Amino acid sequence: MAHSPSDWSTDANEAFRLSLVRAQDDRASLTAREAYEGFHPTFTYPLFGEEEKLYGYRDPKIDLKFASGSLEQYFHLSYTAKLPSSSAVDDIEGTVAKFIPAGYYTDEDEFKKRVEADATAFSPLGTRILTYTRPASTLSRKGKHIVIPQVLSPEDEETVDFEVYHCTWQTPGFREYHRRMQLFILLYIEGGSLISEEEELWEFVVLFEKRKRRHAPEIATYHFVGYSTLYPFYCFPERVRMRLSQFVILPPYQQEGHGSALYMAIYQYVLATPSIAELTVEDPAEAFEDLRDRNDLKMLLADERFMREALGEGAASNGGGGGGRVGRRRGAGVPVGLRAAKKGRLG
Ligand code: ACO
């Protein structure tokens, strides 16, 4: 039976499914585990070309699973039919393999064993620079990937910690870890590209969820949430201008304030580091501009000294902690920015 070419062409973003896999004991305490499995990339053009199509397969499914903390990977391709191999038929595994480290798992049982082992063996690399806590009941309850009944369990009354770590290429094991997470930049940031390991000065901030096991609270497990890359440029006469280059929060964790928390961790790190003169952002996406503006404003409105100096006596007491709605768009007439905050505190 003859088939039209469109029968063999599939949307690559739909076919590609990502999962953050937790060990059995950690899955048991999750109220929303569906959220972490089977979510899709926003972009696949860096892998499969501008059209973001897979050609040559009927009903292809690409499963790329990550151990939720160590990010060890498992790849599986399934389909119901495939055209005879030719140059027109996509080599799906060969293409994905160019973007993930060699040695990924293709045997799911072996991968699951690795997930179990890594769950307790893995802990974040680098130096912890921030911790914050959220009630478990507010996590993964909203957003387009999640369809779960709102049944409250005792787990919902618990809190979950989130920790931010600072790393450089010199952090032991970080190069290998970065090779496992950098694909997220291509899959979620429009125009994102991989950074060069030859450039020694890159810095990284990585966000993890830290869970205590329900039946063994002395055991903590860590789960990757997102990360950002920073590059220091020389700033006359003897400091650096830090440029935030890439920033991603994985879809299961978006819209829960983690992007804001990661940005604030970077902000506080910059404020606390005298050698950094200012923080700039490379080609920010619109969603990131919103996030930055909201958080910069919040920070400045809460800074009494800045409010006094910028708006005069009396402003500080009116501005701080107001919680009022402020303009979201850039250029709203407020002198937003870390440069102003740094001048107030350090300059
Ligand atoms: N409950 C409900 N909504 C919340 C909560 C909460 N507890 N906390 C925050 N929100 C809302 C915020 O008000 C905001 O709403 P708005 O968009 O309507 O204004 C929204 O959630 C987003 O704020 P955060 O949750 O702090 O941000 P998030 O964790 O979703 O991260 C980001 C935003 C980084 C843009 C993320 O969506 C992402 O990684 N996207 C893909 C990659 C990307 O575009 N990265 C930026 C590229 S630019 C660059 O790299 C320099």
Side-chain angles (χ1 to χ4, degrees):
M1 187 170 62
H3 291 282
S4 76
S6 62
D7 290 341
W8 298 97
S9 174
T10 309
D11 183 315
N13 295 346
E14 270 302 305
F16 207 134
R17 300 184 304 197
L18 299 151
S19 297
L20 299 166
V21 183
R22 300 190 184 211
Q24 210 54 40
D25 282 355
D26 301 320
R27 292 163 68 90
S29 67
L30 278 183
T31 47
R33 67 169 163 267
E34 297 86 347
Y36 303 98
E37 298 182 6
F39 57 94
H40 297 275
T42 311
F43 307 106
T44 47
Y45 70 86
L47 283 71
F48 299 111
E50 276 310 310
E51 301 286 315
E52 301 191 317
K53 296 275 186 220
L54 304 174
Y55 185 73
Y57 301 80
R58 185 93 38 77
D59 200 19
K61 300 238 179 325
I62 304 168
D63 261 310
L64 186 61
K65 299 188 177 184
F66 296 77
S68 62
S70 69
L71 299 182
E72 287 293 339
Q73 293 153 356
Y74 162 79
F75 175 91
H76 181 70
L77 171 67
S78 65
Y79 46 82
T80 53
K82 183 184 173 196
L83 287 175
S85 290
S86 75
S87 59
V89 173
D90 281 308
D91 172 10
I92 295 176
E93 180 165 358
T95 302
V96 174
K98 286 187 207 147
F99 294 90
I100 59 177
Y104 55 86
Y105 289 84
T106 51
D107 177 323
E108 192 160 20
D109 287 338
E110 289 302 312
F111 173 67
K112 283 181 181 161
K113 281 187 208 155
R114 182 65 188 258
V115 169
E116 294 298 324
D118 282 2
T120 47
F122 173 80
S123 59
L125 309 168
T127 309
R128 192 174 60 201
I129 57 170
L130 182 97
T131 301
Y132 60 94
T133 301
R134 292 283 157 78
S137 59
T138 65
L139 301 174
S140 295
R141 277 288 158 74
K142 58 209 162 302
K144 49 191 177 292
H145 308 282
I146 302 139
V147 183
I148 46 166
Q150 296 285 311
V151 180
L152 294 181
S153 70
E155 166 73 3
D156 292 316
E157 306 312 321
E158 292 168 14
T159 57
V160 179
D161 287 342
F162 290 85
E163 297 185 347
V164 181
Y165 287 78
H166 175 265
C167 304
T168 67
W169 291 136
Q170 280 70 50
T171 305
F174 186 74
R175 270 178 206 267
E176 292 72 20
Y177 194 72
H178 180 261
R179 287 176 200 149
R180 298 199 286 275
M181 67 186 188
Q182 61 182 353
L183 178 62
F184 297 132
I185 299 300
L186 301 183
L187 299 182
Y188 290 106
I189 300 184
E190 187 159 21
S193 57
L194 303 185
I195 64 173
S196 166
E197 287 186 28
E198 305 301 309
E199 289 168 340
E200 281 296 319
L201 297 179
W202 282 106
E203 296 185 28
F204 306 84
V205 281
V206 191
L207 174 59
F208 291 92
E209 175 185 345
K210 180 183 181 185
R211 284 261 176 180
K212 289 193 189 94
R213 285 204 165 154
R214 190 188 261 179
H215 301 299
E218 71 284 3
I219 297 177
T221 60
Y222 290 90
H223 312 277
F224 177 87
V225 175
Y227 80 107
S228 179
T229 57
L230 307 165
Y231 197 87
F233 289 90
Y234 171 69
C235 179
F236 182 82
E238 57 191 12
R239 297 211 280 175
V240 294
R241 174 180 295 116
M242 192 61 91
R243 188 168 74 182
L244 189 160
S245 175
Q246 301 165 316
F247 191 102
V248 67
I249 298 292
L250 292 186
Y253 294 95
Q254 288 175 6
Q255 304 280 312
E256 293 178 357
H258 298 301
S260 296
L262 182 60
Y263 175 68
M264 292 313 290
I266 296 169
Y267 196 111
Q268 295 299 347
Y269 166 72
V270 168
L271 274 181
T273 310
S275 59
I276 305 176
E278 58 183 66
L279 176 68
T280 61
V281 181
E282 179 180 348
D283 193 15
E286 199 172 311
F288 186 84
E289 285 186 337
D290 280 356
L291 181 151
R292 177 174 56 157
D293 286 353
R294 259 197 325 271
N295 286 288
D296 284 353
L297 276 168
K298 230 184 269 171
M299 180 78 76
L300 291 177
L301 290 171
D303 186 318
E304 279 197 28
R305 183 168 157 200
F306 170 79
M307 291 300 285
R308 247 195 328 271
E309 285 181 12
L311 303 177
E313 288 301 330
S317 51
N318 295 333
R325 186 102 183 125
V326 290
R328 286 181 53 200
R329 299 254 52 88
R330 281 151 73 78
V334 184
V336 181
L338 186 61
R339 189 201 297 246
K342 276 208 85 122
K343 273 193 183 141
R345 298 249 173 97
L346 303 167

